[in-house]
Amino acid sequence: MMGLMASEETRTITPPTVRSSAARDAGKRGGPSTHAWTKRLLVLGIVLSALNLRPAITSLGALLEEVRDGLGMSGSVAGLLTSVPPLCFAVFGVMAPRLARRFGPGAVVCAGMVAIATGLLIRPYAGGTAGFLAASALALMGIAVSNVLMPVIVKHWFPDRVGSMTGLYSMALALGTSLAAAVTVPLTDALGGSWQSGLALWSGLAVAAILPWLPFVRGRVPAPGTGNRSERTEASASGDPAREEAPRLRITRSRTAWALAVFFGLQATAAYITMGWMAQIFRDAGVPAGTAGLLLAVTMAMGIPLAFVIPRLATRLPHQGPIVLALGVCGLAGYAGLYLAPAAGAWAWALLLGIANCAFPLALTMVGMRARSGPGVAQLSAFAQSTGYLISIPGPLLVGVLYQHSGGWGLPIALMSALMIPQMVVGFLAGRDRTVEAEAGR
């Protein structure tokens, strides 16, 4: 009782000026008020950035036939076009940790949004297939570095909410993906039927995503838990997760890292085949173009609720393998439906493949769980995503070649189904409760 009274007395007699001074000092040290607005701004930046990580791809998938006709592409060249995203993600994604160490993750993500906006604006008007590919590569470069750094930012700023924050930006990513697939064709029709306008309009969304990251470009906003003790080194005080002292990990010695990389690659193969070709599969089966785009949107939209549920569930389980297997079974069922009755059961197959595509947020969640430290997550994220996207490059291209030379979708769908089996195996292995630090050693 005396303690409570003393505490109450202390609160009563504390002069307002003292409290104000303390609040100002806390703000200068990166105290609660500073961190509150910083975190809100960071969440906004993460959500807006995630919305921009797939429209460059799914908007093209919805208009692929028009783009092919407009640029005079063959089926093989169109297959090459659908392989450009994983190629760019592999090449540019590996650069993300180094760029983040030098400039800070926020600055790199901001630059990535600028690259996306610029690439999407100029690619429909670049003239010819080569110009279209080059502008697409610019936008995909911005997507690549943001892909790698999102798990790093989440791990550092929200270490106690990895599952929920991964779910949040995975939901936003799925929303952007499905939105682009659903409305690109109607908006193109509303703009006079010009596929150039239908693709270029998505640059506006990327421009909006630049703004929340501007304070992180030069401000070096401090992260929670930094400050004092000589600001815990310059890197920590700046709030730069990628600038912390990196552990000496020989990441290629980790079996878990390899399993996660292969799992990431195979799920990316399935995802980019779906985004690039599924609308065309339905159109060839007699489904109208607008409905085919809507079916692709439904597939992508399944990730909106599930991308929030699956990461939260994954962080509560010691082994994520059972989730991997459940998603794989849905994928196999969806491919079987596409082969047997693509038009008759189109909505069911779209739903099943949408569930299977949620292997992506699961993979991102496992990246955050399979490393103990922020730098460890940065190394694992760069390795798993770059290696994974390299693995995924041949898939969409091979589908285009098989489609052109076989004259149908039987062989491509058989390929998709066959790749699902190793995806389930390596995903099960990657889901074991291990860390790369324990396996890679220092």
Side-chain angles (χ1 to χ4, degrees):
M1 177 67 71
M2 292 297 294
L4 290 173
M5 292 174 61
S7 176
E8 181 64 29
E9 182 181 355
T10 300
R11 289 196 299 270
T12 302
I13 65 174
T14 300
T17 56
V18 174
R19 290 199 299 270
S20 301
S21 176
R24 286 196 300 271
D25 291 343
K28 291 178 181 179
R29 294 193 301 269
S33 60
T34 301
H35 294 318
W37 75 261
T38 299
K39 280 198 169 185
R40 293 190 190 102
L41 192 62
L42 194 65
V43 169
L44 178 62
I46 289 172
V47 170
L48 287 176
S49 297
L51 286 171
N52 281 279
L53 295 183
R54 293 299 179 269
I57 303 164
T58 51
S59 62
L60 176 59
L63 294 173
L64 184 58
E65 185 171 311
E66 288 75 11
V67 173
R68 286 176 58 188
D69 293 340
L71 298 178
M73 289 183 186
S74 66
S76 297
V77 174
L80 175 63
L81 183 61
T82 57
S83 292
V84 168
L87 174 62
C88 291
F89 294 167
V91 171
F92 298 119
V94 75
M95 300 163 53
R98 181 177 297 179
L99 292 172
R101 283 194 297 271
R102 182 170 182 179
F103 302 106
V108 176
V109 172
C110 185
M113 295 301 111
V114 172
I116 294 170
T118 304
L120 293 185
L121 181 62
I122 66 175
R123 76 171 177 177
Y125 309 103
T129 301
F132 190 93
L133 288 171
S136 295
L138 176 62
L140 293 166
M141 176 177 66
I143 297 173
V145 295
S146 302
N147 273 338
V148 171
L149 293 179
M150 284 296 165
V152 180
I153 292 171
V154 167
K155 179 75 170 181
H156 185 75
W157 281 86
F158 307 95
D160 56 339
R161 288 186 285 161
V162 170
S164 58
M165 284 303 300
T166 300
L168 178 64
Y169 81 74
S170 297
M171 283 177 61
L173 189 151
L175 177 60
T177 305
S178 58
L179 188 65
V183 306
T184 296
V185 171
L187 286 177
T188 300
D189 293 339
L191 294 171
S194 170
W195 62 265
Q196 290 93 340
S197 300
L199 293 181
L201 63 86
W202 292 103
S203 62
L205 185 61
V207 171
I210 297 171
L211 303 178
W213 293 105
L214 292 177
F216 296 88
V217 173
R218 304 181 70 177
R220 294 286 191 251
V221 182
T226 62
N228 297 325
R229 295 201 179 189
S230 300
E231 303 301 323
R232 298 184 187 269
T233 77
E234 178 187 354
S236 295
S238 67
D240 267 341
R243 286 169 63 94
E244 297 172 8
E245 184 180 355
R248 297 177 181 176
L249 295 179
R250 298 172 181 175
I251 199 76
T252 56
R253 291 190 174 185
S254 169
R255 294 181 179 179
T256 297
W258 278 108
L260 189 53
V262 176
F263 175 65
F264 199 98
L266 292 175
Q267 67 80 28
T269 300
Y272 287 108
I273 290 173
T274 298
M275 286 187 280
W277 289 108
M278 196 178 82
Q280 190 65 50
I281 293 175
F282 286 129
R283 291 178 72 168
D284 287 352
V287 177
T291 304
L294 188 58
L295 285 164
L296 177 59
V298 168
T299 297
M300 301 298 107
M302 287 302 297
I304 298 174
L306 293 179
F308 187 71
V309 172
I310 289 176
R312 291 171 65 89
L313 176 62
T315 56
R316 287 172 168 79
L317 295 177
H319 194 317
Q320 291 75 46
I323 304 177
V324 172
L325 297 181
L327 297 179
V329 169
C330 290
L332 290 173
Y335 291 139
L338 278 182
Y339 180 80
L340 296 173
W347 295 101
W349 319 141
L351 289 172
L352 286 169
L353 291 174
I355 296 172
N357 277 348
C358 288
F360 175 72
L362 177 60
L364 291 180
T365 305
M366 289 196 289
V367 167
M369 297 177 67
R370 297 288 89 90
R372 291 193 294 262
S373 65
V377 171
Q379 292 184 44
L380 179 58
S381 181
F383 174 76
Q385 294 201 44
S386 296
T387 305
Y389 284 126
L390 278 174
I391 292 170
S392 70
I393 290 170
L397 176 59
L398 186 55
V399 166
V401 172
L402 290 175
Y403 170 58
Q404 180 174 347
H405 290 282
S406 68
W409 288 105
L411 286 178
I413 292 173
L415 173 65
M416 300 177 210
S417 302
L419 291 176
M420 186 60 68
I421 304 300
Q423 177 181 323
M424 295 165 69
V425 173
V426 294
F428 190 88
L429 296 175
R432 294 175 298 177
D433 187 13
R434 300 182 181 183
T435 64
V436 293
E437 285 91 349
E439 294 181 345
R442 290 186 173 225

